[in-house]
Amino acid sequence: MKNKVSPKIMSGFMELLPAEQIVFDKMKQIIEQTYQTYGFVSLDTPVMELSEVLLAKAGGETEKQIYRFQKGDADISLRFDLTVPLARYVAAHQNDLAFPFRRCQISKSYRGERPQRGRLREFYQADIDIIGSEKLSVLADAELPSIIYQTLKNLGLDRFMIRLNNRKVLKGFYEALGLADKQVDILRLIDKIDKIGVQNVMEGLKDLGLDEKACAQIKGLIEIQGSSNEVICALKELGVQNDLYIQGVDELEKVAQAMINLGTPESHFKIDLTIARGLDYYTGTVYETNVIGHEEWGSICSGGRYENLAENYTDRKYPGVGMSIGLSRLFDFLRGANMLRIGAVTPADVLIVPMANDTRYALKVATMLRNAGVKTEVYFADTKFKNKMTYANKIKVPYVLILGEDEEKNTAVSLKNMVTGDQQTVVLGDLIPVMEEAVLARPPEKPVFQKA
Amino acid sequence: MKNKVSPKIMSGFMELLPAEQIVFDKMKQIIEQTYQTYGFVSLDTPVMELSEVLLAKAGGETEKQIYRFQKGDADISLRFDLTVPLARYVAAHQNDLAFPFRRCQISKSYRGERPQRGRLREFYQADIDIIGSEKLSVLADAELPSIIYQTLKNLGLDRFMIRLNNRKVLKGFYEALGLADKQVDILRLIDKIDKIGVQNVMEGLKDLGLDEKACAQIKGLIEIQGSSNEVICALKELGVQNDLYIQGVDELEKVAQAMINLGTPESHFKIDLTIARGLDYYTGTVYETNVIGHEEWGSICSGGRYENLAENYTDRKYPGVGMSIGLSRLFDFLRGANMLRIGAVTPADVLIVPMANDTRYALKVATMLRNAGVKTEVYFADTKFKNKMTYANKIKVPYVLILGEDEEKNTAVSLKNMVTGDQQTVVLGDLIPVMEEAVLARPPEKPVFQKA
């Protein structure tokens, strides 16, 4: 007998059982449909790119994690995010695209990181970006988090907080304090505030050589809290005389106001002056999103405004704003917290169980149901009734139709509700309305649930 | 100024513009929805696998085409089809799955082939398989082509032919002729019949050393044509005394009959005794599918019955039957033949064009429409009306809502049908029913069209 190979997958890769996969796909579908409700077109770029193209900008930590290899003459890399391919796509097709270009992409990316919870080597991100040609309205910065609000609500998350900030406010503030040369270090420090606390941030600022006055002023800035109106007022009252700062505050004000006009309640977003995000990419609005009660997950959806998306590929300026849901990561966390509605192992609404050897009647009923939009499986295997029902229980199908000789003779079916155990005889002429009532009229359940 | 990198993708990789991508995604969605209507669960296995696992069986031509590389200690390969990962999945999760296991997967695979029309290095396949544990009813062999029939119809293809055969018939026939040892060569020759013609096949058979009587009998077999009933009768009348042959004919008969019971018209399928498919994998029913009028595309959907899916990974026997639509390939051919309904560049039904600087009214109307399920984009850029309408034309959105000061004062909108050019004023209270009538009630167009 031939030696068997162990059918294992690599560590850091996620593979789901059917019941989980159904929930994952539902989440993916809800995200995509919500994005499309706002007019975003879905892209699907190649997983592999030429290394010289993909790595035109990358470096350091990212480059080490990349899956890169040679095939023939080609130096190939697997994409590590969806933003660089978007930049390449926009540059390559700039003459064929209409701007502002609204695109979403829900695809896998690859990073050879050390695997741990929430760090996968193959992971889905659900990106949404708006790209302008030469310029882009600040209202785009408001639209994206409003879409993310709607998306997370549609998934079934109820308690989350989208936090926004504007890097111009921070940059202008440090410039006004005469600390322009230290701002990278300061931002890096403040970025850790959730982990290390205000006190340690202040110690760190002193270690950077800041005097007490500067430390106090920075403390004053990052401790501003309240409704977006209150925060904006407080920022104005600081009286910082710096154009960038003033522009940043103005943008924050416009974004917060437009988010409210777009139907995003203030219970689900706030201005948070401690958010800085990555250090060299974003130039204006920045976002992070936390699930309330699960702050330890970190941000589940982040992003920001950038001024020059495709600068490595073209001289033309493409400013944009983007947000990204870490879908695989979010799924993994939700699963770990038992917040997923994992149920049926099949997409079928009905399993038809023929009792006779002649399956013609079963096939006829199945075709009728499918034509009416009822997802229907027929159990063909010639085995005991008990085994057939064991299968029905195993796949957790909500309804079973039992078709015996009596049923066929009376052109009827026995309909069994597998949740309640109720069984009734339905004549064939009534079957479609009965199933429509039972299955199609039921509003779909949200895949995620969150307790108050 | 920094040197720019050319934003190109690798040859053999397909990347679509938005209007094409929308059609591709629609095709993908229709295939997946149709598969699910029959109760198939969608899987999503990793793109990368350990080479020892993925290549447990492969060899020869396939192995040369594989994208294989080292990362750290791992010897990694990208999947080259969806069947080997399915086998690995079934073996890995056999204790958690319910059998028969009905799975579909629409995903990308990778082969470093020489690029040419219809040969991509990154390509989607839309696979559907039913896997039994130890045994699997022959009705599964009928169900799959019936699903493919429905799928291709749902895509908009009207004229195609699913051709089926059974390898047991061929194998038994050659055994009865005493040609068991030559059957691989004979099948390979007959497989070319569409390209080289009957005459050349007969010459080839002689070159293999077959005598005239054997040649005549083989010619007799492969020239059998007619309705499935007629072919079955003719096969029985040959009176071949071989168990395998008799079993194969019986299976063909059951499959053809069940296909009819499942609603597949005889206009769209036939038994074709020249079909053999790959030589060592399939053991019973085999399928090919041609688009009538485009036979030069080759088979757009193929597959067959196999007796031992996961033999490289487990001792347990998993017989199955599968079919696969070469989706990227099919899309590429359809595009080349102008058979795709390529239209809008946006998924949006409506573009809202605010005329005033104050966009609050526009955002309110947008939120109202989206909540009603109307896909809505707002054009935010502060530019001339003419530019706004140029954008609307460029994205080919079917409706535009123009919101000026007058409209806002009257809580109304100006609705422009971009196809007919008609424009009407609609009061806000009537907008949802009007848009539902215009957009949501319209049955979706099929992405593919085929002239008679």
Side-chain angles (χ1 to χ4, degrees), chain A residues 173-402:
Chain A
F173 187 82
Y174 299 124
E175 276 179 18
L177 287 182
L179 298 169
D181 56 326
K182 288 188 171 144
Q183 62 164 310
V184 171
D185 293 322
I186 298 172
L187 288 178
R188 196 170 288 151
L189 202 56
I190 293 174
D191 231 15
K192 294 184 196 156
I193 199 165
D194 284 347
K195 287 184 193 154
I196 64 175
V198 179
Q199 209 46 53
N200 284 318
V201 168
M202 288 302 127
E203 295 297 327
L205 290 177
K206 273 182 215 156
D207 294 346
L208 288 174
L210 271 63
D211 61 24
E212 273 196 32
K213 198 183 153 202
C215 286
Q217 283 178 299
I218 291 174
K219 189 158 185 270
L221 181 78
I222 61 182
E223 287 192 339
I224 293 174
Q225 288 194 5
S227 71
S228 46
N229 252 336
E230 287 163 357
V231 173
I232 297 293
C233 284
L235 287 173
K236 285 180 181 169
E237 277 167 15
L238 288 183
V240 177
Q241 294 304 313
N242 175 285
D243 287 349
L244 202 61
Y245 178 89
I246 291 165
Q247 195 191 339
V249 173
D250 181 57
E251 287 180 9
L252 266 185
E253 185 173 15
K254 282 185 176 141
V255 169
Q257 188 52 53
M259 283 181 72
I260 293 167
N261 293 340
L262 276 160
T264 318
E266 290 226 55
S267 53
H268 285 72
F269 81 90
K270 70 173 180 195
I271 297 172
D272 182 335
L273 296 161
T274 67
I275 291 176
R277 301 296 305 155
L279 293 173
D280 60 347
Y281 191 63
Y282 296 119
T283 52
T285 314
V286 285
Y287 317 92
E288 291 195 352
T289 311
N290 295 94
V291 177
I292 292 170
H294 293 283
E295 285 74 9
E296 75 282 5
W297 296 352
S299 175
I300 60 160
C301 178
S302 312
R305 156 78 76 146
Y306 39 89
E307 281 316 308
N308 208 344
L309 174 70
E311 61 182 335
N312 296 306
Y313 310 115
T314 175
D315 288 329
R316 208 171 162 79
K317 206 176 149 198
Y318 291 104
V321 57
M323 293 184 80
S324 175
I325 299 174
L327 177 56
S328 296
R329 213 169 148 269
L330 177 61
F331 179 89
D332 204 22
F333 282 132
L334 291 168
R335 182 171 54 172
N338 287 318
M339 285 167 68
L340 297 176
R341 259 184 249 280
I342 293 175
V345 177
T346 171
D349 305 310
V350 181
L351 178 73
I352 295 183
V353 174
M355 305 290 287
N357 280 334
D358 184 349
T359 53
R360 268 181 296 182
Y361 184 57
L363 297 183
K364 185 181 152 191
V365 175
T367 303
M368 200 178 89
L369 285 169
R370 287 164 183 155
N371 288 341
V374 180
K375 300 193 187 81
T376 305
E377 175 178 344
V378 183
Y379 190 84
F380 285 125
D382 185 18
T383 177
K384 285 183 220 146
F385 181 66
K386 197 184 143 211
N387 292 340
K388 295 177 183 179
M389 295 311 282
T390 302
Y391 175 78
N393 280 316
K394 211 169 172 187
I395 64 171
K396 294 185 184 148
V397 67
Y399 294 93
V400 167
L401 287 186
I402 300 159

Side-chain angles (χ1 to χ4, degrees), chain B residues 181-344:
Chain B
D181 57 328
K182 288 188 172 143
Q183 61 164 312
V184 171
D185 293 323
I186 298 171
L187 288 177
R188 197 171 284 151
L189 201 55
I190 293 174
D191 230 15
K192 295 183 194 155
I193 198 165
D194 285 346
K195 287 183 192 153
I196 66 175
V198 179
Q199 210 45 54
N200 285 316
V201 168
M202 289 302 127
E203 294 298 327
L205 290 177
K206 273 182 212 154
D207 295 345
L208 288 175
L210 273 63
D211 61 26
E212 273 194 36
K213 195 183 158 205
C215 286
Q217 283 177 300
I218 291 174
K219 190 159 183 276
L221 181 78
I222 62 181
E223 287 190 340
I224 293 174
Q225 289 195 4
S227 70
S228 46
N229 252 336
E230 288 163 358
V231 173
I232 297 294
C233 285
L235 286 173
K236 286 180 179 168
E237 277 167 14
L238 288 182
V240 176
Q241 295 303 315
N242 175 287
D243 288 348
L244 202 59
Y245 178 88
I246 291 164
Q247 192 190 342
V249 173
D250 180 58
E251 287 180 8
L252 265 183
E253 185 173 16
K254 282 185 177 141
V255 169
Q257 189 52 54
M259 281 181 73
I260 293 168
N261 293 341
L262 276 159
T264 318
E266 290 227 54
S267 54
H268 285 74
F269 80 92
K270 70 174 181 194
I271 297 171
D272 182 336
L273 296 162
T274 67
I275 291 176
R277 301 295 307 155
L279 293 170
D280 59 347
Y281 193 62
Y282 296 119
T283 51
T285 313
V286 285
Y287 317 92
E288 291 195 353
T289 311
N290 295 95
V291 177
I292 291 168
H294 293 283
E295 285 75 8
E296 75 281 7
W297 296 352
S299 175
I300 60 160
C301 179
S302 312
R305 157 77 75 149
Y306 39 89
E307 282 315 309
N308 209 344
L309 174 70
E311 61 182 333
N312 295 306
Y313 310 115
T314 175
D315 288 330
R316 204 169 164 81
K317 205 175 150 200
Y318 291 104
V321 56
M323 292 185 82
S324 174
I325 299 175
L327 177 55
S328 295
R329 209 168 151 271
L330 177 60
F331 179 88
D332 205 23
F333 282 133
L334 291 169
R335 182 170 56 171
N338 287 317
M339 285 167 69
L340 297 176
R341 260 183 248 281
I342 293 175

Side-chain angles (χ1 to χ4, degrees), chain B residues 22-129:
Chain B
I22 286 171
V23 176
F24 185 91
D25 289 352
K26 208 181 279 181
M27 290 177 66
K28 190 160 161 274
Q29 190 188 17
I30 287 170
I31 295 171
E32 186 161 32
Q33 281 175 351
T34 310
Y35 288 175
Q36 289 183 349
T37 298
Y38 291 78
F40 286 75
V41 68
S42 213
L43 286 192
D44 184 6
T45 59
V47 167
M48 292 182 220
E49 302 255 8
L50 290 168
S51 298
E52 63 175 279
V53 176
L54 198 72
L55 308 180
K57 189 180 186 175
E61 205 47 44
T62 309
E63 193 139 2
K64 266 185 268 166
Q65 297 169 352
I66 284 166
Y67 289 94
R68 180 174 180 172
F69 57 94
Q70 200 84 18
K71 170 100 181 157
D73 295 337
D75 178 357
I76 299 172
S77 291
L78 303 193
R79 65 175 171 228
F80 53 91
D81 72 3
L82 302 174
T83 305
V84 179
L86 171 65
R88 200 255 316 130
Y89 184 94
V90 167
H93 305 291
Q94 51 187 319
N95 296 327
D96 296 310
L97 299 176
F99 293 93
F101 177 49
R102 298 159 77 85
R103 94 84 174 81
C104 60
Q105 182 163 3
I106 308 178
S107 295
K108 289 174 173 177
S109 292
Y110 296 85
R111 290 187 195 181
E113 296 191 273
R114 212 172 120 239
Q116 50 178 294
R117 164 132 289 181
R119 292 263 176 218
L120 291 160
R121 290 175 167 177
E122 179 184 61
F123 53 94
Y124 275 97
Q125 282 178 300
D127 276 28
I128 185 167
D129 290 79

Side-chain angles (χ1 to χ4, degrees), chain A residues 1-10 13-18 21-22 24-25 32 36-50 52-53 56 64-69 71 74 76 78 88-89 91-93 95-102 108 110 112 122 124 135 137 139-140 143 150 258 261-263 311-315 345-348 359-360 363-364 367 370-371 374-382 391 394-395, chain B residues 1-10 13-18 21-22 24-25 32 36-50 52-53 56 64-67 69 71 74 76 78 88-89 91-93 95-102 108 110 112 122 124 135 137 139-140 143 150 258 261-263 311-315 345-348 359-360 363-364 367 370-371 374-382 391 394-395:
Chain A
M1 175 147 276
K2 209 192 142 193
N3 277 340
K4 305 296 175 189
V5 178
S6 167
K8 62 176 185 285
I9 58 170
M10 293 187 286
F13 286 69
M14 185 164 82
E15 175 166 273
L16 304 177
L17 286 170
Q21 187 70 54
I22 286 171
F24 185 91
D25 289 352
E32 186 160 34
Q36 289 183 349
T37 299
Y38 290 77
F40 286 74
V41 68
S42 214
L43 285 192
D44 185 4
T45 59
V47 167
M48 290 183 222
E49 302 255 8
L50 290 167
E52 62 176 280
V53 176
K64 265 185 269 166
Q65 298 170 351
I66 284 167
Y67 288 95
R68 181 174 179 172
F69 57 94
K71 170 101 182 159
I76 299 172
L78 303 193
R88 201 254 319 127
Y89 184 93
H93 305 292
N95 297 325
D96 295 311
L97 299 176
F99 293 93
F101 177 49
R102 298 158 77 84
K108 289 174 173 177
Y110 297 85
E122 178 183 62
Y124 274 98
K135 57 182 184 171
S137 165
L139 291 178
E143 201 181 10
Q150 197 58 56
N261 293 340
L262 276 160
E311 61 182 335
N312 296 306
Y313 310 115
T314 175
D315 288 329
V345 177
T346 171
T359 53
R360 268 181 296 182
L363 297 183
K364 185 181 152 191
T367 303
R370 287 164 183 155
N371 288 341
V374 180
K375 300 193 187 81
T376 305
E377 175 178 344
V378 183
Y379 190 84
F380 285 125
D382 185 18
Y391 175 78
K394 211 169 172 187
I395 64 171
Chain B
M1 175 150 274
K2 210 193 141 189
N3 277 340
K4 304 297 174 188
V5 178
S6 167
K8 62 177 186 284
I9 58 171
M10 293 187 287
F13 287 70
M14 187 165 80
E15 173 165 274
L16 303 177
L17 285 170
Q21 187 70 55
I22 286 171
F24 185 91
D25 289 352
E32 186 161 32
Q36 289 183 349
T37 298
Y38 291 78
F40 286 75
V41 68
S42 213
L43 286 192
D44 184 6
T45 59
V47 167
M48 292 182 220
E49 302 255 8
L50 290 168
E52 63 175 279
V53 176
K64 266 185 268 166
Q65 297 169 352
I66 284 166
Y67 289 94
F69 57 94
K71 170 100 181 157
I76 299 172
L78 303 193
R88 200 255 316 130
Y89 184 94
H93 305 291
N95 296 327
D96 296 310
L97 299 176
F99 293 93
F101 177 49
R102 298 159 77 85
K108 289 174 173 177
Y110 296 85
E122 179 184 61
Y124 275 97
K135 57 184 183 167
S137 165
L139 291 178
E143 199 180 13
Q150 198 57 56
N261 293 341
L262 276 159
E311 61 182 333
N312 295 306
Y313 310 115
T314 175
D315 288 330
V345 177
T346 172
T359 52
R360 268 180 295 182
L363 297 184
K364 185 183 151 189
T367 302
R370 286 164 183 156
N371 287 343
V374 180
K375 299 191 188 84
T376 305
E377 175 178 344
V378 183
Y379 189 83
F380 285 125
D382 185 16
Y391 175 78
K394 212 169 171 186
I395 64 171

